[in-house]
Amino acid sequence: MTLVYDLIPLDFPQYCAPLFTAVFRGWLHETVEYSHGIICISETTRRDVERFCRDIGRRSPLLDHFRLGSDLDLLDSRGQVREEIRRLCVQGSKLFLTVGSIDVRKNHPFALDAFERVWASDADAALVVVGRASGDVGAILKRMKEHPKAGSRLFFFQDANDSELDYLYRHARALIFPSAAEGFGLPLVEARQRGCFVLASDIAAFRELADAGVRLFSLADAKNLALCVLDVLAGPSQSPPPMPVFNWKASAEQFLDKIRSIARIDP
């Protein structure tokens, strides 16, 4: 039995080192050849594995998927929240948040392009970027740190703790999630469970997760996101009801059920 998170190294090799893509391809060939069953973290990834098997002309193993969990009490507001973040959250109706590692596929430059359009329209909005650098992203970091709006409308935290992240989710007007590729999308779930509205890229994994509090935008042009941000600013500040909590205990139980179900099927 094998667990697969995503096929990003194959479907989006531009975001991975060539050696990593080559090793992953070899591993996946072996996996579909010898695994009795493959369980994926989303229906999106399950379909991707099914397509991979079809493309290489192999019969797929038994395939299924389960949902990852997110516990509200794993990110809470009982810890320390620095004063700088509390001050930012006073303007919550104008505060937009991105969460995730600073990585090329997370598309931070796209978000910045969109907010430069928003700021050019004289809209009073702030963008808070939360995440640690991952990989060769020096150009992205330089652009954020040296941006003319840095410290006034653009804020960057590489060291936010869980309590601070929880605080930001609960006070932001919306989460911005412009990733080009994902197998799941945990920040989307974390934000919606706290009642935060979400603007997310229109990719398969996010379409699978989206509820009434998620608006999807095309990655064809940053103006699409800019228009979404302006619409949110002009609309009511009240978000739809929070997404129901699906915690890690429920996720683990679902995962075990999938394993048992596949194990009962004679190959």
Side-chain angles (χ1 to χ4, degrees), residues 78-95:
R78 291 174 292 181
Q80 287 292 110
V81 177
R82 74 192 80 176
E83 187 58 32
E84 181 183 1
I85 288 178
R86 291 185 183 275
R87 286 199 304 270
L88 284 176
C89 289
V90 170
Q91 56 176 337
S93 63
K94 304 169 186 176
L95 189 73

Side-chain angles (χ1 to χ4, degrees), residues 20-170:
F20 184 82
T21 294
V23 170
F24 184 88
R25 186 185 302 278
W27 172 83
L28 193 57
H29 271 272
E30 294 295 309
T31 295
V32 301
E33 178 71 21
Y34 296 109
S35 289
H36 176 59
I38 295 176
I39 302 176
C40 306
I41 64 167
S42 62
E43 169 63 15
T44 296
T45 300
R46 190 203 67 77
R47 290 196 301 265
D48 289 343
V49 173
E50 189 174 56
R51 169 178 48 78
F52 174 81
C53 293
R54 187 169 58 248
D55 289 348
I56 65 172
R58 286 187 179 178
R59 182 180 179 182
S60 71
L62 297 169
L63 299 175
D64 210 333
H65 75 282
F66 76 112
R67 174 162 173 170
L68 296 182
S70 174
D71 286 299
L72 283 177
D73 58 358
L74 291 184
L75 291 176
D76 58 49
S77 55
R78 291 174 292 181
Q80 287 292 110
V81 177
R82 74 192 80 176
E83 187 58 32
E84 181 183 1
I85 288 178
R86 291 185 183 275
R87 286 199 304 270
L88 284 176
C89 289
V90 170
Q91 56 176 337
S93 63
K94 304 169 186 176
L95 189 73
F96 293 80
L97 173 68
T98 71
V99 175
S101 58
I102 311 302
D103 183 280
V104 177
R105 70 181 172 87
K106 299 291 185 178
N107 241 353
H108 290 84
F110 183 93
L112 275 178
D113 290 345
F115 270 82
E116 284 172 356
R117 289 174 177 265
V118 172
W119 293 322
S121 72
D122 290 329
D124 187 12
L127 176 63
V128 177
V129 178
V130 175
R132 293 182 175 87
S134 174
D136 184 14
V137 290
I140 300 174
L141 295 176
K142 185 174 187 293
R143 181 180 174 187
M144 288 194 294
K145 291 176 179 178
E146 297 180 4
H147 197 281
K149 297 292 185 181
S152 60
R153 288 290 179 269
L154 175 62
F155 304 89
F156 177 36
F157 298 97
Q158 292 194 77
D159 59 348
N161 61 42
D162 285 352
S163 298
E164 290 172 331
L165 182 54
D166 177 86
Y167 197 85
L168 286 162
Y169 276 136
R170 295 182 188 277

Side-chain angles (χ1 to χ4, degrees), residues 193-207:
Q193 286 183 167
R194 290 160 176 80
C196 183
F197 192 69
V198 175
L199 298 174
S201 48
D202 188 8
I203 61 175
F206 295 166
R207 290 195 292 273

